[in-house]
Amino acid sequence: GITALYLYRRYSKSKLPKSNQSIKTSQPSDNNRSSIIDKGEKQETSVVSLKIKNQAVLQNQEASKAIESARWKAKEAGAKVYVNGDFRIILFAPILTNSKDNTLKAIRAAQTIERILNEYNKRFSTKIDFGIGVGVGELIVESKAGKFKFMSADNTITSTKNIAQSSNSEVLISEKLHRYTAGKVRTEKRSDNTWKVNLIADRSDQRDFLQNLKK
């Protein structure tokens, strides 16, 4: 019994990954392939989650165009966008935007997406049932050979997905993001500890954002 336990421990230790090995992670993407992060860097990243709640019934071309337009607006603002089932996960990492603080940029992008989809809903009988959640937290990121890879260092992506699920065609932000942007964003507190965005009072970064959208 002691010999068997000794051999099991030796075998188990030999199977443990060494600390200098690459990190393998599955990230939300169009093809859901695994990717390898060789030299990831932990960065505070603003995350927007767009949930399309009735994707199965949205067969018309105009709905697809509206959703795709929302996705491209986020990309034009410097974000990376990944499809993860009914979610579009939009990441504003410093390594992508060359800006340390991306909180207002993410909220502004979320508002633009909200406007695009609500504008579609005003014009067409088949409505897009959606929710938008925005949060901020730590991601391990890498950008190499033109490819961006990431993995969560906390529960930020999961929590923004949950916020998007609870949103009813509006932009909701996390408690942490509300603390970061207090005084810059006018919000309304909800019972579930999220905050509904009414207006961005701070316009200091709006010029750059609008220039990116016009390009």
Side-chain angles (χ1 to χ4, degrees):
I2 293 172
T3 306
L5 181 62
Y6 172 73
L7 289 172
Y8 170 76
R9 283 179 173 167
R10 279 194 64 185
Y11 176 79
S12 298
K13 285 180 181 177
S14 71
K15 290 294 180 183
L16 289 172
K18 295 181 177 62
S19 60
N20 61 354
Q21 284 183 332
S22 299
I23 303 167
K24 187 175 182 178
T25 175
S26 293
Q27 65 184 33
S29 64
D30 291 301
N31 49 22
N32 287 320
R33 289 185 303 181
S34 292
S35 60
I36 302 292
I37 293 182
D38 292 318
K39 293 180 180 177
E41 177 186 347
K42 190 181 283 189
Q43 290 192 340
E44 190 163 71
T45 301
S46 296
V47 180
V48 180
S49 288
L50 166 64
K51 164 81 170 178
I52 306 298
K53 301 179 183 181
N54 62 336
Q55 194 159 277
V57 302
L58 293 174
Q59 304 297 338
N60 69 77
Q61 192 176 5
E62 291 302 324
S64 298
K65 277 185 186 176
I67 294 167
E68 193 60 22
S69 174
R71 182 165 122 153
W72 274 104
K73 289 300 182 188
K75 292 181 85 167
E76 286 169 5
K80 284 288 185 182
V81 185
Y82 297 93
V83 178
N84 182 216
D86 293 338
F87 289 93
R88 307 298 187 272
I89 309 298
I90 303 163
L91 304 178
F92 289 88
I95 200 172
L96 297 170
T97 64
N98 296 317
S99 177
K100 188 177 179 181
D101 183 358
N102 293 288
T103 51
L104 290 183
K105 191 173 286 190
I107 295 172
R108 213 180 291 287
Q111 283 189 310
T112 301
I113 293 167
E114 177 193 27
R115 279 196 295 271
I116 290 169
L117 299 185
N118 280 331
E119 190 60 38
Y120 163 88
N121 284 343
K122 288 177 187 174
R123 295 172 56 209
F124 296 94
S125 57
T126 305
K127 308 299 182 189
I128 299 173
D129 185 7
F130 71 94
I132 303 172
V134 193
V136 61
E138 301 285 351
L139 263 63
I140 298 168
V141 297
E142 178 186 77
S143 186
K144 191 168 73 170
K147 292 184 179 179
F148 176 74
K149 301 172 186 176
F150 72 92
M151 66 179 292
S152 269
D154 55 25
N155 69 340
T156 303
I157 291 178
T158 301
S159 66
T160 57
K161 286 168 76 173
N162 290 337
I163 294 170
Q165 182 66 55
S166 68
S167 163
N168 182 24
S169 304
E170 60 201 348
V171 177
L172 301 180
I173 65 174
S174 68
E175 175 73 31
K176 183 177 179 180
L177 185 54
H178 173 259
R179 290 198 306 269
Y180 277 32
T181 57
K184 299 177 182 178
V185 181
R186 292 180 191 168
T187 56
E188 182 182 320
K189 189 171 185 180
R190 303 194 339 152
S191 59
D192 59 356
N193 251 18
T194 61
W195 299 75
K196 180 184 174 183
V197 173
N198 293 325
L199 179 71
I200 298 179
D202 186 327
R203 298 181 179 275
S204 59
D205 71 334
Q206 190 171 32
R207 188 178 302 167
D208 292 340
F209 180 80
L210 292 174
Q211 283 176 349
N212 282 333
L213 289 184
K214 288 175 183 176
K215 285 179 183 176

